[in-house]
């Protein structure tokens, strides 16, 4: 039952790479099971997706159900919505070859300079001198743009913002100005949805920036959190935010990060990539928290409900955010973690949803949760993808 009031209802999805996308599939399915029959996340008014969340937002805005994505990625249904690593990114050969060419061109003058001046050479000096020779990224998301274009076309879905019945907004960060651009907004509705998605997903260093209308864009999650701004600007009275980007609370009485030797590790023992990932998540989580507090204070009549995993549960995200291993486990975790949170916080959430004319049902979720558990228990995870 739904009788929407007090503004539009928005769904905002954060990033988190491939693991974040898989978590969101499970989480959205649990949210759908929580809503009373006759209303689903496909009936929201506004969809906002940043980075990996942009893909899920675009599909749901195109009326694709979370359950279909859930079943497909559990391997229970054949569909083009099941994509693999090769469909998403490829090595940026052109960019790497160009950088090697620049290096070859500059290395001789640099060597001559140091022999002539007889200055002591440090590694950091070389890094600084050859900065312009470095590639803008090691991978390109062009394969994902082609895949998404084909996917939308084959399923009869819109690859343009103007072709959607729902509002869809995908922010990306302008690399040169530091400001974010909202694709789907007035002035940027002509940008194809697949192009907007890869612009919002271009994580610095890993991926080359994506050029749109002569401007270079990187991950929409860099800098200011745009999800709150967009929802409010577009008239949302209730915004449901799903954020998989949560740091791991490595309390070794409750959590064990395994090492090759079999002991439980401190995060620093897992190397610089794991340290960088933890630091990024701590930073993102803090910015989310501060942004939510700010907007709750500024707009007391607007409701924000955030769904995120508990920090002691996120060891499943310890693999690379580019990794697609443990697909089934992550989707299971997304569903179960979200369902348990919705049950635990039922009273608060019910009050929040009812204020905006949306009915929820703990009983329906519990029943559906039991059905999903049986469904997922019958699946043997395939980690070869």
């Amino acid at each position: 039952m739904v009788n929407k009031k007090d503004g539009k209802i928005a769904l905002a999805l954060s990033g988190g790479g491939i693991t974040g996308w898989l978590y969101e599939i499970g989480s959205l399915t649990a949210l759908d099971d929580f809503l009373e029959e006759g209303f689903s996340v496909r009936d929201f008014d506004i969809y906002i997706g940043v980075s990996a969340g942009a893909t899920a937002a675009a599909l749901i805005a195109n009326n694709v159900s979370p359950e279909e994505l859930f079943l497909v990625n559990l391997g229970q249904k054949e569909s083009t919505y099941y994509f693999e690593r090769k469909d998403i990114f490829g090595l940026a050969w052109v960019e790497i070859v160009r950088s090697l060419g620049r290096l070859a061109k500059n290395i001789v003058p640099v060597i001559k300079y140091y022999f002539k001046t007889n200055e002591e050479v440090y590694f950091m000096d070389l890094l600084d001198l050859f900065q312009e020779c470095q590639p803008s990224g090691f991978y390109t998301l062009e394969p994902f743009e082609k895949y998404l274009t084909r996917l939308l076309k084959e399923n009869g879905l819109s690859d343009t913002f103007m072709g959607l019945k729902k509002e869809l907004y995908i922010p990306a960060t302008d690399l040169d100005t530091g400001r974010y651009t909202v694709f789907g907004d007035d002035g940027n509705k002509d940008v194809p949805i697949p192009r907007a998605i890869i612009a919002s997903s271009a994580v610095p260093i890993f991926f080359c920036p994506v050029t749109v209308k002569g401007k270079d864009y990187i991950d929409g999650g860099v800098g200011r959190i745009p999800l709150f701004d967009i929802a409010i600007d577009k008239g949302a009275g209730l915004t449901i935010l799903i954020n998989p980007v949560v740091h791991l609370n490595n309390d070794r009485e409750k959590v064990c990060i395994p090492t090759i030797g079999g002991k439980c590790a401190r995060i620093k023992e897992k190397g610089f990539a794991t340290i960088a990932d933890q630091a990024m998540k701590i930073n993102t989580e803090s910015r989310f928290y501060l942004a939510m507090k700010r907007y709750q204070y500024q707009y007391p009549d607007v409701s924000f409900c955030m769904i995120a995993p508990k920090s002691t549960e996120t060891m499943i995200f310890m693999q690379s955010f580019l990794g697609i291993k443990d697909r089934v486990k992550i989707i299971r975790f997304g569903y179960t973690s979200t369902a348990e949170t919705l049950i635990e916080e039922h009273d608060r959430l019910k009050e929040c949803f009812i204020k905006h004319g949306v009915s929820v049902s703990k009983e329906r979720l519990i029943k559906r949760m039991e059905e999903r558990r049986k469904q997922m228990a019958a699946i043997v995870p395939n980690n070869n993808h």
Side-chain angles (χ1 to χ4, degrees):
M1 174 191 163
V2 60
N3 179 26
K4 287 188 281 188
K5 54 186 178 181
D6 294 332
K8 300 175 184 177
I9 301 175
L11 175 68
L13 303 173
S14 182
I18 298 172
T19 52
W21 146 260
L22 294 170
Y23 171 88
E24 285 173 347
I25 290 173
S27 184
L28 287 167
T29 305
L31 180 59
D32 240 4
D33 289 347
F34 185 57
L35 299 171
E36 284 276 19
E37 284 193 79
F39 186 71
S40 75
V41 295
R42 291 183 292 169
D43 297 312
F44 286 16
D45 304 293
I46 300 168
Y47 299 92
I48 308 163
V50 172
S51 194
T55 302
L59 290 175
I60 295 169
N62 259 296
N63 205 38
V64 177
S65 73
E67 182 171 29
E68 181 168 5
L69 299 175
F70 182 79
L71 294 175
V72 165
N73 282 276
L74 287 178
Q76 294 194 322
K77 188 175 181 180
E78 290 293 325
S79 171
T80 47
Y81 298 130
Y82 187 100
F83 52 77
E84 300 183 28
R85 188 184 286 112
K86 64 180 175 61
D87 300 314
I88 304 172
F89 59 90
L91 204 59
W93 286 110
V94 173
E95 182 67 21
I96 292 170
V97 168
R98 283 177 181 165
S99 69
L100 290 173
R102 292 193 294 269
L103 178 63
K105 182 180 177 181
N106 293 331
I107 195 166
V108 173
V110 169
I111 292 171
K112 284 182 178 178
Y113 170 80
Y114 274 106
F115 270 115
K116 189 181 291 185
T117 60
N118 202 30
E119 290 182 9
E120 192 171 1
V121 182
Y122 294 97
F123 179 68
M124 292 303 295
D125 295 330
L126 291 175
L127 279 181
D128 187 49
L129 281 167
F130 291 117
Q131 193 171 174
E132 291 180 17
C133 302
Q134 297 166 14
S136 63
F138 292 101
Y139 297 101
T140 174
L141 285 164
E142 302 297 330
F144 196 38
E145 181 180 19
K146 292 176 183 175
Y147 169 84
L148 287 169
T149 301
R150 188 176 69 253
L151 170 78
L152 295 171
K153 184 178 180 180
E154 288 177 358
N155 288 280
L157 307 176
S158 176
D159 66 352
T160 68
F161 291 96
M162 292 175 286
L164 294 171
K165 294 180 180 178
K166 301 287 185 175
E167 296 178 54
L168 172 65
Y169 302 103
I170 299 174
T173 305
D174 185 320
L175 181 59
D176 288 302
T177 67
R179 301 187 184 95
Y180 67 78
T181 294
V182 182
F183 298 111
D185 210 343
D186 293 338
N188 288 296
K189 283 189 177 180
D190 58 331
V191 176
I193 290 173
R195 192 69 180 173
I197 289 173
I198 68 166
S200 185
S201 303
V203 178
I205 300 175
F206 287 99
F207 298 119
C208 301
V210 175
T211 303
V212 182
K213 296 182 176 181
K215 296 181 178 180
D216 299 319
Y217 289 97
I218 56 173
D219 191 332
V222 173
R224 187 173 175 178
I225 302 289
L227 300 173
F228 300 91
D229 289 8
I230 298 169
I232 289 169
D233 287 347
K234 301 306 175 185
L238 169 63
T239 301
I240 310 300
L241 299 111
I242 297 181
N243 177 36
V245 188
V246 175
H247 79 283
L248 173 66
N249 180 3
N250 189 27
D251 179 345
R252 278 171 287 169
E253 292 183 3
K254 301 175 182 177
V255 174
C256 179
I257 304 175
T259 62
I260 295 173
K263 70 169 187 173
C264 295
R266 295 161 68 184
I267 287 176
K268 82 167 191 176
E269 296 174 293
K270 296 295 287 184
F272 69 86
T274 304
I275 294 170
D277 183 62
Q278 176 81 335
M280 180 275 292
K281 287 175 178 174
I282 292 170
N283 181 47
T284 300
E285 207 176 349
S286 297
R287 288 188 294 118
F288 250 103
Y289 176 79
L290 291 173
M292 177 172 272
K293 288 295 181 186
R294 172 193 166 190
Y295 284 103
Q296 283 177 329
Y297 176 77
Q298 281 188 293
Y299 302 93
D301 294 330
V302 177
S303 300
F304 297 101
C305 296
M306 186 182 293
I307 296 171
K310 296 181 176 69
S311 61
T312 51
E313 299 177 330
T314 56
M315 199 174 73
I316 197 166
F317 295 147
M318 288 297 287
Q319 62 169 303
S320 166
F321 79 100
L322 298 179
I324 211 157
K325 184 183 176 184
D326 295 330
R327 182 195 299 257
V328 172
K329 289 182 181 177
I330 295 170
I331 293 173
R332 281 176 177 167
F333 170 70
Y335 182 89
T336 304
S337 171
T338 300
E340 289 174 350
T341 297
L342 293 173
I343 291 168
E344 287 171 14
E345 301 187 23
H346 170 263
D347 293 344
R348 179 182 67 83
L349 292 171
K350 182 179 179 180
E351 184 179 343
C352 177
F353 277 82
I354 284 179
K355 179 183 175 184
H356 298 277
V358 179
S359 297
V360 297
S361 172
K362 180 166 70 173
E363 292 72 24
R364 181 173 187 264
L365 175 57
I366 292 170
K367 181 181 177 182
R368 295 290 286 157
M369 192 176 179
E370 191 57 38
E371 292 170 3
R372 301 285 188 203
R373 277 178 174 157
K374 291 176 182 176
Q375 196 175 42
M376 292 185 286
I379 298 167
V380 178
N382 181 354
N383 296 332
N384 295 325
H385 295 290

